C-alpha cells in the first residue's frame, strides 16, 4: 500500500511537471507567434531595417512623385512641367564591417564576392584583417544585393542607408541637371543651384522644361550639327511672356548618369556659359534703341557704302542686291553692316552703352544655373567710334545665347525685359523662392499687361486671356509692335526666308560672325551662325534660337556657311514640330489677312512735314564722329595729366575684343 501511494505521488508530480513544461512551451510558442506572425519584432536599426520601405498603399489619384516618395530618400525629385521625372533618388546601402567581430576574413570575402562581383578580394581581405572597428566595403549597393548579403548572417557585417541620384532620361537636359557628388550634394546645374531646396523639401522641384520639346529640339539640332559638321551647337525655346525656358540644348552633351566621366566639352553649356559674338542678331538691338530713343524712323535712310575708319574697314559680304542708301527696314531685312554702323553712330556711345546695360548685356543672365557666365564687353575707356560702329552690327562684344534670346523677347512682348527661369511659373511650391530671386536679380519691376490669344484681328473671334509679364519696361508697346513687323519682314522678304514655317508667322533675325582665333585675330570662313526667331509674330508666344559653331559648307548651301543656310532652316523645322506640343497650331486659313496686317514696306513713305535722314542729312557720318572722338580723347588726355601719377588702374572683369583689319558680317 505504501509503495502504491508513493507511485501515485510520483505520478502526480510528473503530471505537474509535465503541465508546467506544457504551460512553459505554450507561452514560448505564443510569444513566438506574436513575435513572428501576429506582431513581428523590428530588426536591429543598423541591420536591414533602414532599407525596407513601408508597404505601398494604392492611391488611384497618386502620381509618380508620390510613388517614389520613400521615407529613406531625402533629396527631392526634379520633374518637368508635365510631371515627367528628370532626377530621382533611389534607396541604396553602404556595406561596412567591424573586423574585430569577424572569424574568417577570407571566407567572408568569398561570400561578399559572390554578391558583389566588382569587389577586390585581396584588398577586402586586407581591410577585414585589420584591428579597426569600422571599414567600408562597398557603396551604393542595391536592395537585392543587401538582402543577399544579409541572408549570409555574417556577424560583424552591417548596412548603412543611403541614396543614389538617377536620371531616367539620360542625355535629356543633362547640362541643365548637372550632377551630385558621392555625398549627394549638388555640384553643377540645377542640382547645385537648388541644393538646399532639394535637401530640405521633399516636394518635387518642377522645372519649366517640357521634355517632349526638349527631345525634338535636341534631335533637330543634332541633325543640323552633323549635316554642317559643326563643332558645337545650342538651341533655346523660351516663353517671351514669362521667361520660362521650355527647352535648352547644348551639343555635344552626355548621359547625366555618367557625369563624372563626361568630357569638359560635353559638360560645357553653350547656352549660358559660351560667349560668342552675336553678329547681325545684335542689329535688332541697334534698331530697337534707335526707334525707342527717337533718333531714327523706319523711313530714314542710311548709307551702305563700306566705311573706312583708320585701319578698320566695314563692309557687307554681298551688296549687289541693295542700293547705296537703305531705309531702316531695309537695313534689317538685308542685314547691312555699314548702315547699322551709321544707325549706332546716330545713337552715340553713351546712349548705346546705357541701352545695352539696361537690356542686361553687361551682366550674367539671371537664370538658375551657376554656370551662367559674364559677357565680354569693351571697357568704357575703349568705347570709341570704332567700337560704337562694330557693336552696332554685333562685333566686338561676346554674349551668351540666352542673353540674345532675352533681348529678343523684350523687343516683341510689349517691351518688357523678363527674367529667364527654369522654374515652372505655375508651380505654387516655389512661388516664394521665385519671387525672391526676381527681386534680388532684377530690382523694382514695372508690370505690363499683354494679351494672350490671337487678338490681332485674325478673324477667329477668340477672347484674349490677359497675361502679366514681370520685368523692367525697356521699350514702349508701340515700338515693340513696330519691331514685330520689322522682324516679320526679315523672314518674308529678307535674309531669314528659310526660317519660315507656314501658318506660324515666324519673325526673326539672322546673325553670322567670324570666330576669333586663339591668338586674337579673326578666322576667315570660320563662323558662328545663329538665328533668333519668334512665333507667331502676330501674337508672340515663344522665342526659338539656334546657333551652330563653325558650320561647314555643303553642296546644298553653294559654299555658304552663313546663318540663312543652316541656323534659320533649323529654326523652321523646330517650330513646325514643337508648335502643336505647345498648343499652338498653324493658321493657314487666315494667313493672307494676318500677313497683310503685319506687313510693313521695305521703303516706308516719309510722312508729310518730316525730313528723313539720308543723303545730305546724315548725323551718323563717320567723319564727323571721328572729329568728335578726337576731341573727346584730347579732353580725356588733359584730365589724365591732372590726375596723380602712378595711380594703379584696378583690373576689370570686362575685356576688350579688338576688331581685325577687315570686318565682314552677314
Amino acid at each position: 500500500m505504501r509503495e502504491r501511494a508513493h507511485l501515485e505521488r510520483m505520478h502526480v508530480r510528473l503530471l505537474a511537471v509535465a503541465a508546467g513544461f506544457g504551460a512553459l512551451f505554450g507561452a514560448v510558442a505564443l510569444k513566438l507567434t506574436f513575435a513572428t506572425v501576429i506582431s513581428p519584432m523590428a530588426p536591429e536599426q543598423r541591420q536591414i531595417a533602414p532599407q525596407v520601405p513601408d508597404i505601398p498603399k494604392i492611391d488611384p489619384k497618386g502620381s509618380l512623385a508620390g510613388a517614389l516618395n520613400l521615407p529613406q530618400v531625402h533629396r527631392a525629385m526634379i520633374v518637368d512641367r508635365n510631371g515627367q521625372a528628370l532626377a530621382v533618388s533611389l534607396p541604396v546601402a553602404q556595406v561596412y564591417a567591424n573586423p574585430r567581430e569577424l572569424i574568417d576574413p577570407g571566407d567572408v570575402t568569398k561570400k561578399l564576392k559572390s554578391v558583389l562581383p566588382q569587389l577586390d578580394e585581396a584588398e577586402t581581405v586586407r581591410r577585414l584583417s585589420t584591428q579597426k572597428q569600422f571599414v567600408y566595403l562597398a557603396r551604393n549597393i542595391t536592395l537585392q544585393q543587401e538582402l543577399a548579403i544579409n541572408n549570409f548572417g555574417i556577424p560583424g557585417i552591417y548596412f548603412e542607408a543611403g541614396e543614389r541620384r538617377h536620371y531616367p532620361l539620360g542625355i535629356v537636359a543633362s547640362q541643365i541637371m548637372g550632377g551630385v557628388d558621392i555625398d549627394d550634394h549638388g555640384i553643377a546645374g540645377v542640382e547645385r543651384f537648388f541644393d538646399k531646396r532639394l535637401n530640405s523639401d521633399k516636394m518635387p522641384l518642377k522645372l519649366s522644361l517640357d521634355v517632349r520639346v526638349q527631345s525634338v529640339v535636341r534631335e533637330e539640332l543634332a541633325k543640323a550639327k552633323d549635316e554642317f559638321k559643326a563643332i558645337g551647337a545650342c538651341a533655346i525655346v523660351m516663353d517671351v511672356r514669362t521667361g520660362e525656358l521650355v527647352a535648352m540644348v547644348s551639343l555635344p552633351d552626355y548621359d547625366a548618369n555618367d557625369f563624372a566621366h563626361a568630357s569638359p566639352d560635353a559638360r560645357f553649356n553653350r547656352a549660358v556659359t559660351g560667349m560668342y559674338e552675336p553678329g547681325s542678331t545684335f542689329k535688332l538691338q541697334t534698331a530697337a534703341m534707335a526707334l525707342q530713343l527717337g533718333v531714327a524712323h523706319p523711313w530714314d535712310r542710311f548709307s551702305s557704302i563700306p566705311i573706312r575708319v583708320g585701319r578698320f574697314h566695314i563692309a557687307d559680304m554681298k551688296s549687289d542686291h541693295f542700293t547705296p542708301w537703305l531705309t531702316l527696314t531695309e537695313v534689317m531685312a538685308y542685314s547691312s553692316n555699314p548702315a547699322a554702323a551709321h544707325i549706332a553712330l546716330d545713337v552715340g556711345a553713351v546712349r548705346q552703352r546705357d541701352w545695352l546695360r539696361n537690356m542686361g548685356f553687361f551682366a550674367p543672365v539671371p537664370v538658375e544655373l551657376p554656370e551662367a557666365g559674364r559677357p565680354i564687353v569693351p571697357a568704357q575707356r575703349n568705347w570709341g567710334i570704332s567700337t560704337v560702329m562694330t557693336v552696332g552690327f554685333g562685333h566686338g562684344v561676346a554674349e551668351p545665347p540666352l542673353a540674345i534670346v532675352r533681348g529678343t523677347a523684350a523687343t516683341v512682348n510689349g517691351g518688357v525685359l523678363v527674367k529667364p527661369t527654369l522654374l515652372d511659373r505655375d508651380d505654387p511650391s516655389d512661388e516664394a523662392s521665385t519671387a525672391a530671386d526676381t527681386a534680388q536679380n532684377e530690382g523694382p519691376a514695372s508690370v505690363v499687361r499683354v494679351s494672350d490669344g490671337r487678338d490681332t484681328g485674325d478673324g477667329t473671334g477668340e477672347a484674349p486671356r490677359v497675361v502679366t509679364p514681370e520685368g523692367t519696361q525697356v521699350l514702349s508697346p508701340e515700338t515693340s509692335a513696330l519691331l514685330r513687323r520689322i522682324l516679320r519682314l526679315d523672314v518674308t522678304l529678307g535674309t531669314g526666308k528659310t526660317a519660315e514655317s507656314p501658318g506660324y508667322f515666324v519673325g526673326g533675325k539672322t546673325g553670322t560672325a567670324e570666330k576669333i582665333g586663339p591668338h586674337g585675330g579673326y578666322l576667315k570662313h570660320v563662323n558662328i551662325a545663329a538665328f533668333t526667331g519668334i512665333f507667331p509674330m502676330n501674337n508672340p508666344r515663344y522665342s526659338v534660337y539656334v546657333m551652330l559653331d563653325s558650320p561647314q559648307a555643303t553642296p546644298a548651301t553653294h559654299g555658304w556657311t552663313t546663318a540663312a543656310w543652316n541656323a534659320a532652316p533649323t529654326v523652321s523645322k523646330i517650330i513646325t514640330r514643337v508648335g502643336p506640343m505647345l498648343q499652338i497650331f498653324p493658321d493657314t486659313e487666315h494667313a493672307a489677312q494676318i500677313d497683310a496686317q503685319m506687313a510693313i514696306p521695305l521703303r516706308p513713305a516719309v510722312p508729310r512735314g518730316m525730313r528723313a535722314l539720308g543723303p545730305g542729312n546724315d548725323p551718323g557720318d563717320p567723319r564727323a564722329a571721328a572729329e568728335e572722338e578726337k576731341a573727346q580723347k584730347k579732353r580725356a588726355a588733359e584730365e589724365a595729366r591732372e590726375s596723380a601719377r602712378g595711380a594703379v588702374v584696378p583690373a576689370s572683369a570686362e575685356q576688350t575684343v579688338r576688331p581685325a583689319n577687315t570686318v565682314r558680317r552677314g
Side-chain angles (χ1 to χ4, degrees):
M1 292 294 293
R2 186 176 298 177
E3 291 181 359
R4 183 181 180 87
H6 179 70
L7 288 174
E8 289 180 354
R9 285 196 299 270
M10 290 293 294
H11 184 66
V12 172
R13 290 174 182 172
L14 288 174
L15 289 175
V17 171
F21 275 105
L24 179 62
F25 280 108
V28 171
L30 185 61
K31 180 66 175 177
L32 288 174
T33 302
F34 271 95
T36 60
V37 179
I38 300 176
S39 180
M41 296 177 63
E44 187 180 347
Q45 284 298 315
R46 61 177 181 171
Q47 293 286 351
I48 201 167
Q51 290 302 109
V52 180
D54 295 335
I55 298 175
K57 297 179 181 178
I58 298 176
D59 179 8
K61 296 183 179 180
S63 62
L64 177 62
L68 293 177
N69 189 18
L70 302 175
Q72 67 273 38
V73 170
H74 302 288
R75 193 171 182 86
M77 290 177 61
I78 301 176
V79 299
D80 83 335
R81 66 190 308 113
N82 300 312
Q84 172 67 51
L86 294 170
V88 298
S89 288
L90 304 176
V92 294
Q94 329 299 341
V95 186
Y96 67 94
N98 182 350
R100 293 186 180 183
E101 297 180 7
L102 300 177
I103 299 173
D104 186 349
D107 181 62
V108 171
T109 300
K110 289 181 180 179
K111 291 179 178 178
L112 294 176
K113 178 72 173 179
S114 66
V115 178
L116 306 173
Q118 304 300 322
L119 198 68
D120 187 329
E121 288 190 70
E123 175 63 18
T124 303
V125 170
R126 186 192 67 78
R127 300 182 73 183
L128 293 179
S129 300
T130 64
Q131 291 302 308
K132 296 180 179 179
Q133 292 184 326
F134 180 94
V135 291
Y136 268 121
L137 300 179
R139 286 179 175 270
N140 297 336
I141 68 172
T142 65
L143 182 59
Q144 290 78 9
Q145 290 173 321
E146 180 184 2
L147 288 169
I149 295 172
N150 189 71
N151 286 337
F152 289 136
I154 306 172
I157 298 295
Y158 304 102
F159 303 94
E160 183 181 72
E163 57 190 80
R164 180 182 62 193
R165 205 63 165 166
H166 178 66
Y167 304 92
L169 301 182
I171 60 174
V172 175
S174 53
Q175 290 109 339
I176 297 175
M177 291 297 101
V180 297
D181 60 18
I182 195 171
D183 295 317
D184 230 30
H185 294 300
I187 55 176
V190 294
E191 292 277 25
R192 179 180 172 186
F193 190 93
F194 293 106
D195 187 59
K196 184 177 180 181
R197 152 69 173 85
L198 291 168
N199 281 322
S200 61
D201 185 352
K202 296 188 70 173
M203 286 294 295
L205 177 68
K206 183 180 282 191
L207 300 185
S208 58
L209 296 179
D210 187 323
V211 296
R212 303 169 304 167
V213 178
Q214 179 83 8
S215 298
V216 167
V217 171
R218 187 191 182 280
E219 182 180 332
E220 293 296 342
L221 188 67
K223 287 180 182 178
K225 178 178 177 293
D226 293 341
E227 179 182 356
F228 300 106
K229 298 180 174 60
I231 64 173
C234 81
I236 300 169
V237 178
M238 188 183 85
D239 190 322
V240 301
R241 307 163 306 164
T242 65
E244 291 171 290
L245 292 162
V246 183
M248 179 188 289
V249 179
S250 176
L251 297 178
D253 54 9
Y254 60 96
D255 188 332
N257 295 296
D258 198 27
F259 177 83
H261 299 98
S263 67
D265 189 43
R267 292 186 192 178
F268 186 70
N269 190 340
R270 287 163 169 77
V272 296
T273 310
M275 299 296 154
Y276 307 95
E277 285 197 346
S280 294
T281 59
F282 228 46
K283 288 173 184 170
L284 173 58
Q285 297 302 320
T286 299
M289 64 182 175
L291 291 170
Q292 180 63 30
L293 296 172
V295 300
H297 306 87
W299 53 80
D300 288 329
R301 292 191 293 165
F302 305 90
S303 173
S304 63
I305 300 172
I307 302 173
R308 184 174 295 279
V309 179
R311 63 188 181 90
F312 303 119
H313 181 230
I314 301 173
D316 290 314
M317 287 184 176
K318 190 178 180 182
S319 59
D320 58 358
H321 58 294
F322 50 75
T323 62
W325 289 84
L326 303 174
T327 63
L328 186 144
T329 51
E330 288 178 308
V331 173
M332 292 294 290
Y334 299 143
S335 198
S336 172
N337 295 333
H342 279 271
I343 298 174
L345 287 172
D346 288 347
V347 174
V350 175
R351 289 190 292 188
Q352 184 186 52
R353 281 183 60 87
D354 289 344
W355 176 271
L356 297 179
R357 182 183 294 105
N358 292 337
M359 292 293 289
F361 289 113
F362 282 12
V365 181
V367 68
E368 299 90 354
L369 288 173
E371 295 81 12
R374 178 171 291 277
I376 303 173
V377 297
Q380 183 173 356
R381 63 180 178 276
N382 297 319
W383 205 285
I385 178 176
S386 60
T387 300
V388 171
M389 289 191 291
T390 54
V391 169
F393 56 88
H395 165 74
V397 294
E399 298 284 342
L402 185 54
I404 304 301
V405 173
R406 185 192 191 199
T408 301
T411 62
V412 300
N413 68 359
V416 183
L417 186 67
V418 297
K419 175 185 178 294
T421 181
L422 283 164
L423 290 177
D424 181 13
R425 293 292 195 191
D426 295 329
D427 185 15
S429 65
D430 287 293
E431 282 184 357
S433 61
T434 304
D437 255 355
T438 302
Q440 180 178 357
N441 289 292
E442 296 295 318
S446 54
V447 176
V448 179
R449 293 184 178 271
V450 295
S451 61
D452 172 25
R454 293 186 174 171
D455 57 333
T456 55
D458 61 2
T460 62
E462 295 180 2
R465 177 173 62 88
V466 175
V467 176
T468 307
E470 296 181 359
T472 305
Q473 185 78 43
V474 290
L475 290 95
S476 67
E478 294 75 19
T479 301
S480 178
L482 177 58
L483 288 169
R484 289 200 292 268
R485 299 170 70 188
I486 292 175
L487 289 174
R488 176 62 181 155
L489 181 70
D490 187 64
V491 173
T492 56
L493 296 176
T495 59
K497 292 178 182 178
T498 53
E500 179 68 300
S501 178
Y504 282 109
F505 312 104
V506 181
K509 185 72 190 74
T510 53
T512 305
E514 289 173 347
K515 286 189 67 174
I516 299 176
H519 305 295
Y522 283 92
L523 304 175
K524 294 300 176 184
H525 310 299
V526 182
N527 298 329
I528 297 293
F531 185 86
T532 180
I534 304 289
F535 81 100
M537 212 66 224
N538 60 315
N539 178 43
R541 291 289 302 278
Y542 293 96
S543 174
V544 180
Y545 174 95
V546 166
M547 182 276 291
L548 296 173
D549 187 347
S550 307
Q552 297 182 22
T554 68
T557 67
H558 308 288
W560 291 95
T561 60
T562 51
W565 292 96
N566 43 53
T570 305
V571 168
S572 173
K573 295 174 183 176
I574 290 174
I575 291 174
T576 301
R577 292 186 62 185
V578 307
M581 295 178 181
L582 298 170
Q583 298 300 304
I584 300 178
F585 301 94
D587 185 354
T588 55
E589 181 181 354
H590 305 94
Q593 181 182 355
I594 294 173
D595 271 330
Q597 292 174 345
M598 292 290 297
I600 184 173
L602 276 171
R603 295 189 177 183
V606 181
R608 294 183 94 182
M610 296 286 294
R611 183 189 179 191
L613 301 180
N617 183 27
D618 183 12
D621 189 335
R623 291 169 296 183
E627 293 298 325
E628 175 61 25
E629 182 179 27
K630 289 180 181 179
Q632 290 179 358
K633 288 183 177 179
K634 184 177 180 181
R635 289 193 296 269
E638 292 175 353
E639 293 175 359
R641 284 194 294 268
E642 295 175 0
S643 63
R645 292 185 177 182
V648 179
V649 178
S652 172
E654 298 176 336
Q655 302 177 27
T656 302
V657 180
R658 299 184 179 278
N661 289 340
T662 302
V663 179
R664 299 180 184 274
R665 299 290 179 273

